[in-house]
Amino acid sequence: MGDNKRRYVIPGEVITTGPYRPEQNVILEDKKIIATKVGISEIYDDTVKVIPLSGMYIPKSQDLVIGKIVSHSSLSWEADINSCYAGMLPASDVFGRNFQPDSEELTSKLAKGDLIVARIVNFDRSRDPLITIADRELGKIDSGELVRISPSKVPRLIGKQGTMIQAIELGTNATITIGQNGLVVVACDTQVGLLKAKKAIRMVDEYAHMPNLTDKIKEMLESKSE
Amino acid sequence: MGGRDSKLVLLDENGIRCDGRKVDETRKISIKAGVLKNANGSAYIEFGDNKIIVGVFGPRDVHPKHLSDTDTGILRCRYHMSPFSVTERKNPAPSRREIEIGKVIKEALKPAVMLEKFPRTAVDVYVEVLQADGGTRCAALDAASVALADAGIPMRDLVSACAAGKVADTIILDVGNEEDQAGQADMPIGYMPNLGQITLLQLDGVLTPDEFKKCVETGVDGCKQIYEIQKQALKDKFFGNGVV
């Protein structure tokens, strides 16, 4: 087993046998560190992790997600957050702590089908993830277009220190909100910018494994603007 | 079936089998990952004349709800043979045999899939046999484990499967349809190559303890060969010709 830092791995492949700490998507099985997903393995200091190339979104506390309201009870909304678990948005989050279910109508604030930007407050194995929209950049989405990408490619769309997303925003004048769950909202004043931004996002999704993708995206954005 | 060629020579004096293979040779195998757009993960396998497609969904909500488990995810598997997969039309309704093979594949995959990470969800594996030629359960298992990896479901290891058996008093690898019908024993084996654990072991026929041991060893060797093909299928889909 070479100790090279980055490597393509598939489930079951032994990444290393050294004294490392297993992190995301790896397991320790008698001193061997084994990948559990298809992806790129990374050895950093004393930790080993695998960046997955496929898979569903698993909620994580503090993640920014984009969700769609699918139903509500008298006390909470339920949002589809593109995961195997539904997001629970309690009514008190919107109406305040002294919310009275008999006097307020939930649909007056958020109706079925509305899109929201939310943050995951809490998630553990026993309950559905709790989400909130009570913050400045959170809440109902009024305008823009929804683009779906694979959740495993979200880090690529953001890029190192946000370089990729900055390049797309600058090149198209669009405002892009990326949910960690693979849903992206693009809002733009001009139709041309909107189409171009969408195309760029789709390109990132498709060619996520290619090196120098940021340059290629920049090239694409510039070539069409003439 | 009946009406088989009674003079069929399963193994000639040069150690060549009825379809021209050597004793320890598998049929021609090719696997392609990610062939379906609407499933979360998929794979297509050609294992000799077997043609099988597998689609995987999940982890997702469990329906009906009472099947869900608060401690862990559940794995469900449907094995189905198309009406045109065999020479005489097969009734598409699930038969006793298909239900059983579905259960067997599910139980062979279960040790590999880390379901405990997804409580209250289900992972569904749909196996569709398009053309059958003996050894479909092994071929289906090979494709299913590639499809699960393609879906990004965490797994401890891939499951590779291959049959071994006995014809003309000789232990052979990868039992074909004729050999299964006329041979003395057929032993499908599922194996996790990196962990070195057997997840499926069935035996139809009679073997002595020594033969049994040799049969298992032969089958495990076959699984290791198939593992390389599974690995290549996943690498082709995800890494293309790229290098890190």
Side-chain angles (χ1 to χ4, degrees):
Chain A
M1 293 301 128
D3 264 42
N4 46 341
K5 293 235 154 153
R6 283 161 77 93
R7 198 151 70 86
Y8 286 132
V9 289
I10 61 164
E13 217 167 304
V14 178
I15 302 169
T16 176
T17 49
Y20 294 100
R21 207 148 47 84
E23 278 202 341
Q24 297 130 39
N25 304 316
V26 294
I27 49 163
L28 186 67
E29 194 97 26
D30 17 90
K31 289 184 187 156
K32 286 185 283 189
I33 293 183
I34 295 169
T36 62
K37 280 191 185 180
V38 181
I40 300 163
S41 71
E42 252 187 13
I43 302 178
Y44 220 79
D45 290 336
D46 64 336
T47 61
V48 183
K49 69 169 179 178
V50 168
I51 304 160
L53 289 176
S54 69
M56 196 163 251
Y57 171 68
I58 302 301
K60 210 162 86 252
S61 193
Q62 298 306 312
D63 270 2
L64 191 79
V65 295
I66 289 165
K68 187 189 204 175
I69 303 289
V70 286
S71 71
H72 71 89
S73 68
S74 59
L75 294 169
S76 67
W77 287 275
E78 197 173 288
D80 172 18
I81 52 167
N82 196 28
S83 169
C84 46
Y85 302 106
M88 297 303 288
L89 178 65
S92 53
D93 192 82
V94 176
F95 293 103
R97 205 173 319 165
N98 39 20
F99 158 72
Q100 295 293 326
D102 46 1
S103 59
E104 318 241 32
E105 184 58 46
L106 266 76
T107 44
S108 66
K109 293 279 185 189
L110 286 172
K112 194 170 156 185
D114 282 353
L115 286 175
I116 51 165
V117 182
R119 193 179 295 285
I120 305 217
V121 182
N122 197 358
F123 174 59
D124 63 50
R125 297 166 46 90
S126 60
R127 249 166 293 180
D128 279 337
L130 193 68
I131 57 175
T132 179
I133 54 167
D135 209 339
R136 212 156 40 84
E137 75 270 35
L138 308 180
K140 188 174 159 182
I141 299 167
D142 297 313
S143 61
E145 260 196 69
L146 191 69
V147 185
R148 268 172 194 273
I149 64 166
S150 161
S152 55
K153 282 159 194 162
V154 167
R156 196 76 172 102
L157 180 59
I158 296 168
K160 282 198 185 81
Q161 274 110 42
T163 43
M164 177 74 82
I165 196 65
Q166 274 168 23
I168 300 175
E169 283 191 322
L170 276 173
T172 58
N173 258 329
T175 320
I176 302 172
T177 316
I178 306 172
Q180 288 294 326
N181 56 349
L183 298 183
V184 181
V185 168
V186 190
C188 189
D189 297 335
T190 62
Q191 192 64 27
V192 190
L194 184 74
L195 287 174
K196 222 190 278 177
K198 273 168 68 180
K199 192 179 167 198
I201 293 166
R202 294 241 164 78
M203 236 172 106
V204 176
D205 192 27
E206 198 174 336
Y207 302 110
H209 57 278
M210 293 216 313
N212 299 328
L213 191 59
T214 316
D215 295 337
K216 276 175 195 140
I217 294 283
K218 274 185 187 156
E219 209 174 281
M220 188 276 284
L221 292 170
E222 277 157 23
S223 67
K224 280 283 189 68
S225 55
E226 282 153 22
Chain B
M1 308 238 171
R4 293 220 154 249
D5 182 2
S6 56
K7 273 185 269 174
L8 178 73
V9 181
L10 287 173
L11 195 68
D12 72 7
E13 58 278 9
N14 302 322
I16 299 297
R17 285 148 75 178
C18 55
D19 53 2
R21 283 187 286 153
K22 289 193 212 108
V23 183
D24 58 349
E25 198 179 338
T26 64
R27 286 170 276 185
K28 197 175 169 294
I29 305 162
S30 69
I31 306 176
K32 198 170 178 337
V35 289
L36 303 175
K37 181 177 133 282
N38 296 336
N40 296 128
S42 57
Y44 172 69
I45 186 169
E46 285 188 13
F47 197 112
D49 281 334
N50 289 305
K51 293 184 180 177
I52 299 170
I53 198 158
V54 178
V56 169
F57 287 93
R60 63 177 179 183
D61 266 2
V62 190
H63 286 291
K65 271 235 157 84
H66 70 266
L67 291 176
S68 75
D69 190 331
T70 46
D71 291 331
T72 179
I74 58 167
L75 185 66
R76 292 185 291 195
C77 182
R78 186 187 86 140
Y79 169 96
H80 183 248
M81 289 177 93
S82 297
F84 49 80
S85 63
V86 277
T87 39
E88 203 141 317
R89 178 182 182 271
K90 194 213 145 278
N91 185 334
S95 64
R96 196 216 89 245
R97 178 179 170 275
E98 286 171 287
I99 296 167
E100 180 188 317
I101 294 181
K103 175 182 178 288
V104 160
I105 292 174
K106 178 187 84 183
E107 285 171 4
L109 289 171
K110 226 174 184 177
V113 184
M114 298 166 76
L115 290 164
E116 67 280 359
K117 288 207 166 191
F118 309 103
R120 295 173 289 121
T121 62
V123 172
D124 291 314
V125 177
Y126 296 100
V127 176
E128 192 68 32
V129 178
L130 305 178
Q131 186 170 289
D133 188 43
T136 51
R137 77 190 66 195
C138 289
L141 196 49
D142 291 328
S145 91
V146 171
L148 282 167
D150 178 39
I153 292 163
M155 292 206 287
R156 273 175 266 269
D157 201 347
L158 291 183
V159 179
S160 307
C162 188
K166 182 179 159 193
V167 297
D169 297 319
T170 314
I171 301 295
I172 53 153
L173 180 64
D174 184 19
V175 182
N177 202 19
E178 283 81 15
E179 293 165 332
D180 184 23
Q181 306 285 339
Q184 292 154 299
D186 174 26
M187 180 194 270
I189 296 173
Y191 181 70
M192 296 194 281
N194 292 297
L195 299 175
Q197 290 169 359
I198 289 175
T199 65
L200 164 73
L201 185 74
Q202 292 184 300
L203 174 61
D204 179 14
V206 179
L207 295 174
T208 65
D210 283 344
E211 282 172 341
F212 180 86
K213 223 173 148 189
K214 175 135 195 265
C215 211
V216 171
E217 279 162 16
T218 311
V220 166
D221 278 347
C223 292
K224 286 177 184 159
Q225 290 175 32
I226 288 163
Y227 175 66
E228 295 304 318
I229 300 165
Q230 291 177 306
K231 201 165 151 180
Q232 199 52 49
L234 285 170
K235 295 210 158 169
D236 284 347
K237 190 208 158 180
F238 284 99
F239 314 142
N241 42 20
V243 278
V244 186

